């Protein structure tokens, strides 16, 4: 059977646009999971999915902004180390500079990077509401920045 999962080529859509679309989908997925949990307090808890979705949201929008500014950006160099992208581009991307100066936020992003190494429910992940809202705010802020400078409108 021919695969239905066609990969984009290297130039269309541009890499930053691919990451922006993925980041937007992950933000939406995270918010959907959180809204479901709020409405269904007696539902079985999803311990792993929300932190994973939040981490992917941040990773994708960070890579979208970095690749928008740097046409030679190599996402494979960083793997899931989002905090390294932020640090490496802090001098050229103002929002990354602001984030990189907040050691608590950088530590929190690093902690959430670890959720991507957990597969198939192998660990229990507990999210702090204030921390997750802070990270969601970061993801949305970076996404807004990409939308502003690119002229893309969702």
């Amino acid at each position: 059977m021919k695969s239905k999962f066609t990969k984009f080529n290297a130039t269309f859509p541009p890499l930053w646009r691919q990451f922006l679309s993925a980041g937007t989908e992950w933000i939406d997925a995270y918010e959907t999971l959180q809204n479901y949990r709020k409405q269904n307090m007696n539902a079985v808890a999803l311990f792993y999915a929300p932190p994973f979705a939040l981490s992917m949201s941040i990773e994708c929008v960070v890579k979208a902004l970095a690749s928008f500014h740097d046409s030679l950006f190599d996402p494979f160099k960083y793997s899931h180390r989002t905090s390294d992208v932020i640090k490496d581009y802090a001098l050229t991307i103002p929002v990354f500079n602001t984030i990189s100066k907040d050691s608590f936020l950088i530590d929190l992003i690093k902690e959430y990077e670890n959720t991507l190494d957990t597969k198939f429910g192998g660990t229990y992940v507990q999210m702090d509401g204030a921390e997750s809202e802070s990270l969601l705010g970061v993801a949305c802020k970076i996404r807004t920045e990409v939308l502003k400078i690119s002229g893309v409108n969702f």
Side-chain angles (χ1 to χ4, degrees):
M1 164 192 262
K2 183 179 180 210
S3 176
K4 297 176 191 220
F5 301 100
T6 305
K7 291 185 178 183
F8 293 122
N9 65 38
T11 58
F12 182 80
L15 186 60
W16 67 266
R17 183 66 166 91
Q18 294 175 42
F19 279 119
L20 176 62
S21 295
T24 297
E25 292 292 327
W26 280 112
I27 289 170
D28 290 347
Y30 172 77
E31 290 177 329
T32 299
L33 285 167
Q34 292 303 89
N35 288 334
Y36 176 80
R37 290 181 81 180
K38 287 176 187 172
Q39 294 170 6
N40 299 283
M41 297 303 280
N42 294 327
V44 174
L46 300 171
F47 297 111
Y48 180 64
F52 180 87
L54 186 54
S55 186
M56 286 302 299
S57 300
I58 294 169
E59 178 178 335
C60 288
V61 295
V62 163
K63 288 180 176 178
L65 188 54
S67 59
F68 185 87
H69 282 279
D70 179 3
S71 62
L72 300 177
F73 176 76
D74 180 7
F76 300 107
K77 171 185 171 185
Y78 294 98
S79 183
H80 296 300
R81 294 181 318 277
T82 306
S83 58
D84 289 346
V85 178
I86 292 169
K87 288 178 182 178
D88 287 354
Y89 285 86
L91 295 178
T92 56
I93 301 175
V95 70
F96 288 176
N97 189 31
T98 301
I99 294 168
S100 71
K101 291 178 181 176
D102 186 334
S103 60
F104 175 77
L105 195 52
I106 288 293
D107 287 346
L108 192 56
I109 290 169
K110 284 181 181 179
E111 182 65 23
Y112 273 70
E113 289 170 8
N114 293 332
T115 67
L116 298 174
D117 292 331
T118 304
K119 303 290 187 248
F120 313 114
T123 63
Y124 175 93
V125 180
Q126 185 175 1
M127 292 175 53
D128 177 274
E131 290 176 353
S132 61
E133 287 303 310
S134 176
L135 289 176
L136 178 61
V138 168
C140 290
K141 181 178 182 176
I142 295 169
R143 179 182 174 271
T144 299
E145 178 69 15
V146 178
L147 292 172
K148 182 177 83 175
I149 64 174
S150 68
V152 171
N153 188 12
F154 281 112

